[in-house]
Amino acid sequence: MDFDFNRLSSLLFVFFLHGFVYACLFIRRGIKLESPSDKWLGFFLFLCVLYMSPYMLGFAGWYNGNRCLPCRNILFYVPFQHTLLMGPVVFFYLQSLLNPNYKFKKRDGLHFLPAGLYIGWAITVAIVDRVILKRYYLMDGENDPDFDTWYVILGLISFLYYLLRSISYYRNYRRFIVQEFSFADTIQFTWVGNFLKACFIYFLATLLINVLFFLNIEIKYSQTWWYYMFFGVLFYYIAITGYSHSIERKKNVELAFLRFRMPGLLQTPQEITEDILHEEIEQKQTDDVINETYDELKEKILDLVVGESLFRDPELTLTDLARKLGINSAALSKIINNGFRMNFNDFINYYRVQEVKKQLQNPANSSLTIMSLAYDAGFNSKATFNRAFKKHTGENPSKYQMIYSEKTIN
């Protein structure tokens, strides 16, 4: 079919082509590595590619019925802008990425029902008009349904709803890992925060341009190119950075807390009731344990973490420590938070930093690098060590070593 490679269409085509390639790469990697999160992100990029297609093809002359009527009919009858799909895909991408035990269930398919109904209606319209009647009937032949006001508004509401849910999900995850893992920095998924920011920027840009349309502020067709160019840059950033951030999971932990935080999306009423009762019983048990043996448990914690150098384990978790103490993890978390005024991650890293400081002061270690001492103390990355050392001493490791060396000489 005819395609006018002009300045406007060609630049959008570049993003279209690269986005399609990245979508295929993600899906291929997802199948090869059995990684659901890669498949979800590949699907999201494919939706992004489709999203910009009407304007890329429009600038190439496809909306001009006098020039190519079959081209215009493709744009009219084929749904390209699946905004009702984008929100749920983002949400399930986060779940599959942050929760290694997450499995897509049949009831989760209900989140895709609105998009399915829209696609079903589009198929019905195409069959009635092009196959049965062979004329415009359900379609007016003048306007692309993807840009109907009701569909645009519904798409924005849907995307915002799932985006807010995704942000809440990620925040819960970040709060949880510092309470459960001593290696929280390595699994905090900083990339996810940037991904959600990019999604929110897309929402704001889309909301702005549509508000201008609804207010009847004149925007020329050619001026909307800048919006789609911006969208192309945005999803190209997502594609490149997402592909370069391969995630190494330290432990296959069931992050049940995430499911509890969002019962409206992920649980049946019976499951919600069961979880509430379970949490109430566990909380009572936690309070009983703490009231009876608070000081004794604090002493036992220090004996294990410091006395037996348990902090040296780079994959130490709250659950591991709770198991050794013979108490539930909720009780242990409460003791560490209230008794030591730190979350579990900071608590363990504090003693790792103290160990590094102690070894730096030992003349026998003068030939060793700071990082070798850090790894020996339980840190598993340079970035994590630098952040923890700065937080607990107020100095960078290298500066601290230099200051201590000067004091020793003097």
Side-chain angles (χ1 to χ4, degrees), residues 81-104:
Q81 299 206 331
H82 297 279
T83 51
L84 294 177
L85 273 177
M86 293 173 76
V89 169
V90 168
F91 183 64
F92 285 106
Y93 163 62
L94 254 69
Q95 289 186 72
S96 62
L97 180 66
L98 301 181
N99 186 352
N101 287 328
Y102 174 75
K103 302 292 182 183
F104 189 84

PDB file of all heavy atoms in Angstrom, residues 81-104:
ATOM      1  N   GLN A  81      -5.438   1.977  19.090  1.00  0.00           N
ATOM      2  CA  GLN A  81      -5.136   2.591  20.380  1.00  0.00           C
ATOM      3  C   GLN A  81      -5.859   1.842  21.501  1.00  0.00           C
ATOM      4  O   GLN A  81      -6.996   2.139  21.847  1.00  0.00           O
ATOM      5  CB  GLN A  81      -5.512   4.070  20.362  1.00  0.00           C
ATOM      6  CG  GLN A  81      -4.741   4.870  19.316  1.00  0.00           C
ATOM      7  CD  GLN A  81      -4.601   6.327  19.673  1.00  0.00           C
ATOM      8  OE1 GLN A  81      -5.429   6.911  20.354  1.00  0.00           O
ATOM      9  NE2 GLN A  81      -3.530   6.944  19.205  1.00  0.00           N
ATOM     10  N   HIS A  82      -5.144   0.896  22.087  1.00  0.00           N
ATOM     11  CA  HIS A  82      -5.731   0.034  23.114  1.00  0.00           C
ATOM     12  C   HIS A  82      -5.441   0.584  24.506  1.00  0.00           C
ATOM     13  O   HIS A  82      -4.734  -0.048  25.309  1.00  0.00           O
ATOM     14  CB  HIS A  82      -5.191  -1.383  22.959  1.00  0.00           C
ATOM     15  CG  HIS A  82      -5.560  -2.033  21.677  1.00  0.00           C
ATOM     16  ND1 HIS A  82      -6.788  -2.625  21.463  1.00  0.00           N
ATOM     17  CD2 HIS A  82      -4.865  -2.158  20.503  1.00  0.00           C
ATOM     18  CE1 HIS A  82      -6.836  -3.107  20.229  1.00  0.00           C
ATOM     19  NE2 HIS A  82      -5.688  -2.835  19.629  1.00  0.00           N
ATOM     20  N   THR A  83      -5.988   1.737  24.799  1.00  0.00           N
ATOM     21  CA  THR A  83      -5.730   2.362  26.104  1.00  0.00           C
ATOM     22  C   THR A  83      -6.377   1.584  27.248  1.00  0.00           C
ATOM     23  O   THR A  83      -5.946   1.709  28.397  1.00  0.00           O
ATOM     24  CB  THR A  83      -6.252   3.812  26.104  1.00  0.00           C
ATOM     25  OG1 THR A  83      -7.618   3.823  25.648  1.00  0.00           O
ATOM     26  CG2 THR A  83      -5.412   4.681  25.182  1.00  0.00           C
ATOM     27  N   LEU A  84      -7.406   0.792  26.957  1.00  0.00           N
ATOM     28  CA  LEU A  84      -8.024  -0.024  27.997  1.00  0.00           C
ATOM     29  C   LEU A  84      -7.177  -1.249  28.340  1.00  0.00           C
ATOM     30  O   LEU A  84      -7.401  -1.902  29.365  1.00  0.00           O
ATOM     31  CB  LEU A  84      -9.420  -0.484  27.546  1.00  0.00           C
ATOM     32  CG  LEU A  84     -10.468   0.623  27.379  1.00  0.00           C
ATOM     33  CD1 LEU A  84     -11.777   0.047  26.872  1.00  0.00           C
ATOM     34  CD2 LEU A  84     -10.697   1.366  28.691  1.00  0.00           C
ATOM     35  N   LEU A  85      -6.227  -1.545  27.487  1.00  0.00           N
ATOM     36  CA  LEU A  85      -5.312  -2.657  27.749  1.00  0.00           C
ATOM     37  C   LEU A  85      -4.048  -2.207  28.463  1.00  0.00           C
ATOM     38  O   LEU A  85      -3.457  -2.953  29.242  1.00  0.00           O
ATOM     39  CB  LEU A  85      -4.905  -3.340  26.430  1.00  0.00           C
ATOM     40  CG  LEU A  85      -5.805  -4.447  25.874  1.00  0.00           C
ATOM     41  CD1 LEU A  85      -5.272  -4.926  24.530  1.00  0.00           C
ATOM     42  CD2 LEU A  85      -5.905  -5.607  26.850  1.00  0.00           C
ATOM     43  N   MET A  86      -3.613  -0.991  28.190  1.00  0.00           N
ATOM     44  CA  MET A  86      -2.306  -0.530  28.677  1.00  0.00           C
ATOM     45  C   MET A  86      -2.212  -0.520  30.203  1.00  0.00           C
ATOM     46  O   MET A  86      -1.202  -0.939  30.774  1.00  0.00           O
ATOM     47  CB  MET A  86      -1.998   0.856  28.101  1.00  0.00           C
ATOM     48  CG  MET A  86      -1.781   0.843  26.600  1.00  0.00           C
ATOM     49  SD  MET A  86      -1.627   2.483  25.863  1.00  0.00           S
ATOM     50  CE  MET A  86       0.041   2.918  26.360  1.00  0.00           C
ATOM     51  N   GLY A  87      -3.250  -0.060  30.867  1.00  0.00           N
ATOM     52  CA  GLY A  87      -3.231   0.004  32.334  1.00  0.00           C
ATOM     53  C   GLY A  87      -3.079  -1.364  32.981  1.00  0.00           C
ATOM     54  O   GLY A  87      -2.168  -1.578  33.798  1.00  0.00           O
ATOM     55  N   PRO A  88      -3.967  -2.336  32.660  1.00  0.00           N
ATOM     56  CA  PRO A  88      -3.821  -3.670  33.246  1.00  0.00           C
ATOM     57  C   PRO A  88      -2.485  -4.326  32.928  1.00  0.00           C
ATOM     58  O   PRO A  88      -1.918  -5.021  33.776  1.00  0.00           O
ATOM     59  CB  PRO A  88      -4.982  -4.453  32.610  1.00  0.00           C
ATOM     60  CG  PRO A  88      -5.994  -3.423  32.266  1.00  0.00           C
ATOM     61  CD  PRO A  88      -5.203  -2.204  31.879  1.00  0.00           C
ATOM     62  N   VAL A  89      -1.962  -4.102  31.725  1.00  0.00           N
ATOM     63  CA  VAL A  89      -0.672  -4.704  31.356  1.00  0.00           C
ATOM     64  C   VAL A  89       0.439  -4.159  32.243  1.00  0.00           C
ATOM     65  O   VAL A  89       1.314  -4.910  32.709  1.00  0.00           O
ATOM     66  CB  VAL A  89      -0.360  -4.457  29.860  1.00  0.00           C
ATOM     67  CG1 VAL A  89       1.085  -4.828  29.541  1.00  0.00           C
ATOM     68  CG2 VAL A  89      -1.307  -5.274  28.988  1.00  0.00           C
ATOM     69  N   VAL A  90       0.439  -2.854  32.496  1.00  0.00           N
ATOM     70  CA  VAL A  90       1.432  -2.253  33.395  1.00  0.00           C
ATOM     71  C   VAL A  90       1.319  -2.873  34.783  1.00  0.00           C
ATOM     72  O   VAL A  90       2.327  -3.231  35.411  1.00  0.00           O
ATOM     73  CB  VAL A  90       1.236  -0.724  33.481  1.00  0.00           C
ATOM     74  CG1 VAL A  90       2.059  -0.131  34.635  1.00  0.00           C
ATOM     75  CG2 VAL A  90       1.647  -0.055  32.170  1.00  0.00           C
ATOM     76  N   PHE A  91       0.109  -3.026  35.261  1.00  0.00           N
ATOM     77  CA  PHE A  91      -0.112  -3.551  36.609  1.00  0.00           C
ATOM     78  C   PHE A  91       0.369  -4.994  36.744  1.00  0.00           C
ATOM     79  O   PHE A  91       1.028  -5.355  37.713  1.00  0.00           O
ATOM     80  CB  PHE A  91      -1.596  -3.448  36.954  1.00  0.00           C
ATOM     81  CG  PHE A  91      -1.917  -3.888  38.354  1.00  0.00           C
ATOM     82  CD1 PHE A  91      -1.421  -3.200  39.448  1.00  0.00           C
ATOM     83  CD2 PHE A  91      -2.721  -4.987  38.579  1.00  0.00           C
ATOM     84  CE1 PHE A  91      -1.708  -3.599  40.742  1.00  0.00           C
ATOM     85  CE2 PHE A  91      -3.018  -5.401  39.868  1.00  0.00           C
ATOM     86  CZ  PHE A  91      -2.510  -4.699  40.946  1.00  0.00           C
ATOM     87  N   PHE A  92       0.043  -5.833  35.761  1.00  0.00           N
ATOM     88  CA  PHE A  92       0.453  -7.232  35.842  1.00  0.00           C
ATOM     89  C   PHE A  92       1.933  -7.407  35.532  1.00  0.00           C
ATOM     90  O   PHE A  92       2.548  -8.380  35.973  1.00  0.00           O
ATOM     91  CB  PHE A  92      -0.410  -8.090  34.921  1.00  0.00           C
ATOM     92  CG  PHE A  92      -1.796  -8.314  35.464  1.00  0.00           C
ATOM     93  CD1 PHE A  92      -2.885  -7.655  34.913  1.00  0.00           C
ATOM     94  CD2 PHE A  92      -2.001  -9.146  36.552  1.00  0.00           C
ATOM     95  CE1 PHE A  92      -4.163  -7.835  35.425  1.00  0.00           C
ATOM     96  CE2 PHE A  92      -3.266  -9.335  37.077  1.00  0.00           C
ATOM     97  CZ  PHE A  92      -4.358  -8.675  36.510  1.00  0.00           C
ATOM     98  N   TYR A  93       2.509  -6.465  34.816  1.00  0.00           N
ATOM     99  CA  TYR A  93       3.961  -6.482  34.621  1.00  0.00           C
ATOM    100  C   TYR A  93       4.658  -6.321  35.973  1.00  0.00           C
ATOM    101  O   TYR A  93       5.596  -7.053  36.298  1.00  0.00           O
ATOM    102  CB  TYR A  93       4.375  -5.366  33.665  1.00  0.00           C
ATOM    103  CG  TYR A  93       5.860  -5.040  33.714  1.00  0.00           C
ATOM    104  CD1 TYR A  93       6.814  -5.989  33.365  1.00  0.00           C
ATOM    105  CD2 TYR A  93       6.293  -3.778  34.127  1.00  0.00           C
ATOM    106  CE1 TYR A  93       8.175  -5.701  33.425  1.00  0.00           C
ATOM    107  CE2 TYR A  93       7.653  -3.492  34.182  1.00  0.00           C
ATOM    108  CZ  TYR A  93       8.589  -4.443  33.836  1.00  0.00           C
ATOM    109  OH  TYR A  93       9.933  -4.159  33.902  1.00  0.00           O
ATOM    110  N   LEU A  94       4.179  -5.349  36.776  1.00  0.00           N
ATOM    111  CA  LEU A  94       4.795  -5.116  38.082  1.00  0.00           C
ATOM    112  C   LEU A  94       4.639  -6.323  38.993  1.00  0.00           C
ATOM    113  O   LEU A  94       5.574  -6.707  39.699  1.00  0.00           O
ATOM    114  CB  LEU A  94       4.180  -3.884  38.748  1.00  0.00           C
ATOM    115  CG  LEU A  94       5.083  -2.642  38.757  1.00  0.00           C
ATOM    116  CD1 LEU A  94       5.249  -2.110  37.346  1.00  0.00           C
ATOM    117  CD2 LEU A  94       4.520  -1.580  39.666  1.00  0.00           C
ATOM    118  N   GLN A  95       3.456  -6.931  38.978  1.00  0.00           N
ATOM    119  CA  GLN A  95       3.241  -8.094  39.838  1.00  0.00           C
ATOM    120  C   GLN A  95       4.180  -9.230  39.481  1.00  0.00           C
ATOM    121  O   GLN A  95       4.794  -9.843  40.355  1.00  0.00           O
ATOM    122  CB  GLN A  95       1.796  -8.581  39.707  1.00  0.00           C
ATOM    123  CG  GLN A  95       0.785  -7.654  40.344  1.00  0.00           C
ATOM    124  CD  GLN A  95      -0.593  -8.270  40.301  1.00  0.00           C
ATOM    125  OE1 GLN A  95      -0.866  -9.211  41.029  1.00  0.00           O
ATOM    126  NE2 GLN A  95      -1.446  -7.754  39.448  1.00  0.00           N
ATOM    127  N   SER A  96       4.307  -9.529  38.191  1.00  0.00           N
ATOM    128  CA  SER A  96       5.156 -10.641  37.767  1.00  0.00           C
ATOM    129  C   SER A  96       6.629 -10.348  37.996  1.00  0.00           C
ATOM    130  O   SER A  96       7.427 -11.262  38.198  1.00  0.00           O
ATOM    131  CB  SER A  96       4.916 -10.957  36.284  1.00  0.00           C
ATOM    132  OG  SER A  96       5.252  -9.850  35.462  1.00  0.00           O
ATOM    133  N   LEU A  97       7.000  -9.061  37.999  1.00  0.00           N
ATOM    134  CA  LEU A  97       8.395  -8.684  38.214  1.00  0.00           C
ATOM    135  C   LEU A  97       8.768  -8.697  39.691  1.00  0.00           C
ATOM    136  O   LEU A  97       9.813  -9.226  40.082  1.00  0.00           O
ATOM    137  CB  LEU A  97       8.660  -7.289  37.639  1.00  0.00           C
ATOM    138  CG  LEU A  97      10.086  -6.748  37.780  1.00  0.00           C
ATOM    139  CD1 LEU A  97      11.059  -7.584  36.950  1.00  0.00           C
ATOM    140  CD2 LEU A  97      10.149  -5.287  37.353  1.00  0.00           C
ATOM    141  N   LEU A  98       7.911  -8.130  40.529  1.00  0.00           N
ATOM    142  CA  LEU A  98       8.230  -7.974  41.948  1.00  0.00           C
ATOM    143  C   LEU A  98       7.911  -9.205  42.793  1.00  0.00           C
ATOM    144  O   LEU A  98       8.487  -9.388  43.860  1.00  0.00           O
ATOM    145  CB  LEU A  98       7.483  -6.763  42.522  1.00  0.00           C
ATOM    146  CG  LEU A  98       7.767  -5.420  41.852  1.00  0.00           C
ATOM    147  CD1 LEU A  98       6.969  -4.319  42.533  1.00  0.00           C
ATOM    148  CD2 LEU A  98       9.245  -5.088  41.873  1.00  0.00           C
ATOM    149  N   ASN A  99       6.980 -10.007  42.322  1.00  0.00           N
ATOM    150  CA  ASN A  99       6.606 -11.207  43.076  1.00  0.00           C
ATOM    151  C   ASN A  99       6.941 -12.442  42.245  1.00  0.00           C
ATOM    152  O   ASN A  99       6.191 -12.812  41.342  1.00  0.00           O
ATOM    153  CB  ASN A  99       5.113 -11.179  43.400  1.00  0.00           C
ATOM    154  CG  ASN A  99       4.713 -12.337  44.312  1.00  0.00           C
ATOM    155  OD1 ASN A  99       5.519 -13.228  44.584  1.00  0.00           O
ATOM    156  ND2 ASN A  99       3.474 -12.326  44.757  1.00  0.00           N
ATOM    157  N   PRO A 100       8.058 -13.106  42.517  1.00  0.00           N
ATOM    158  CA  PRO A 100       8.475 -14.251  41.714  1.00  0.00           C
ATOM    159  C   PRO A 100       7.503 -15.424  41.756  1.00  0.00           C
ATOM    160  O   PRO A 100       7.550 -16.289  40.893  1.00  0.00           O
ATOM    161  CB  PRO A 100       9.833 -14.637  42.313  1.00  0.00           C
ATOM    162  CG  PRO A 100       9.861 -14.029  43.667  1.00  0.00           C
ATOM    163  CD  PRO A 100       9.029 -12.799  43.586  1.00  0.00           C
ATOM    164  N   ASN A 101       6.618 -15.451  42.759  1.00  0.00           N
ATOM    165  CA  ASN A 101       5.649 -16.546  42.875  1.00  0.00           C
ATOM    166  C   ASN A 101       4.299 -16.212  42.246  1.00  0.00           C
ATOM    167  O   ASN A 101       3.374 -17.027  42.296  1.00  0.00           O
ATOM    168  CB  ASN A 101       5.426 -16.906  44.349  1.00  0.00           C
ATOM    169  CG  ASN A 101       6.623 -17.637  44.933  1.00  0.00           C
ATOM    170  OD1 ASN A 101       7.309 -18.363  44.229  1.00  0.00           O
ATOM    171  ND2 ASN A 101       6.886 -17.427  46.202  1.00  0.00           N
ATOM    172  N   TYR A 102       4.183 -15.019  41.666  1.00  0.00           N
ATOM    173  CA  TYR A 102       2.878 -14.628  41.123  1.00  0.00           C
ATOM    174  C   TYR A 102       2.502 -15.468  39.896  1.00  0.00           C
ATOM    175  O   TYR A 102       3.317 -15.674  38.997  1.00  0.00           O
ATOM    176  CB  TYR A 102       2.864 -13.143  40.746  1.00  0.00           C
ATOM    177  CG  TYR A 102       1.573 -12.761  40.061  1.00  0.00           C
ATOM    178  CD1 TYR A 102       0.405 -12.625  40.797  1.00  0.00           C
ATOM    179  CD2 TYR A 102       1.519 -12.608  38.679  1.00  0.00           C
ATOM    180  CE1 TYR A 102      -0.784 -12.340  40.179  1.00  0.00           C
ATOM    181  CE2 TYR A 102       0.329 -12.307  38.050  1.00  0.00           C
ATOM    182  CZ  TYR A 102      -0.823 -12.173  38.806  1.00  0.00           C
ATOM    183  OH  TYR A 102      -2.007 -11.893  38.185  1.00  0.00           O
ATOM    184  N   LYS A 103       1.273 -15.938  39.880  1.00  0.00           N
ATOM    185  CA  LYS A 103       0.735 -16.687  38.745  1.00  0.00           C
ATOM    186  C   LYS A 103      -0.547 -16.013  38.270  1.00  0.00           C
ATOM    187  O   LYS A 103      -1.420 -15.685  39.075  1.00  0.00           O
ATOM    188  CB  LYS A 103       0.424 -18.145  39.136  1.00  0.00           C
ATOM    189  CG  LYS A 103       1.628 -18.935  39.669  1.00  0.00           C
ATOM    190  CD  LYS A 103       2.656 -19.175  38.582  1.00  0.00           C
ATOM    191  CE  LYS A 103       3.811 -20.014  39.122  1.00  0.00           C
ATOM    192  NZ  LYS A 103       4.873 -20.201  38.099  1.00  0.00           N
ATOM    193  N   PHE A 104      -0.653 -15.817  36.975  1.00  0.00           N
ATOM    194  CA  PHE A 104      -1.849 -15.196  36.406  1.00  0.00           C
ATOM    195  C   PHE A 104      -3.011 -16.179  36.528  1.00  0.00           C
ATOM    196  O   PHE A 104      -2.936 -17.319  36.069  1.00  0.00           O
ATOM    197  CB  PHE A 104      -1.608 -14.843  34.937  1.00  0.00           C
ATOM    198  CG  PHE A 104      -2.703 -14.020  34.332  1.00  0.00           C
ATOM    199  CD1 PHE A 104      -2.724 -12.637  34.492  1.00  0.00           C
ATOM    200  CD2 PHE A 104      -3.714 -14.621  33.604  1.00  0.00           C
ATOM    201  CE1 PHE A 104      -3.740 -11.875  33.940  1.00  0.00           C
ATOM    202  CE2 PHE A 104      -4.732 -13.866  33.044  1.00  0.00           C
ATOM    203  CZ  PHE A 104      -4.740 -12.488  33.206  1.00  0.00           C
TER     204      PHE A 104
END
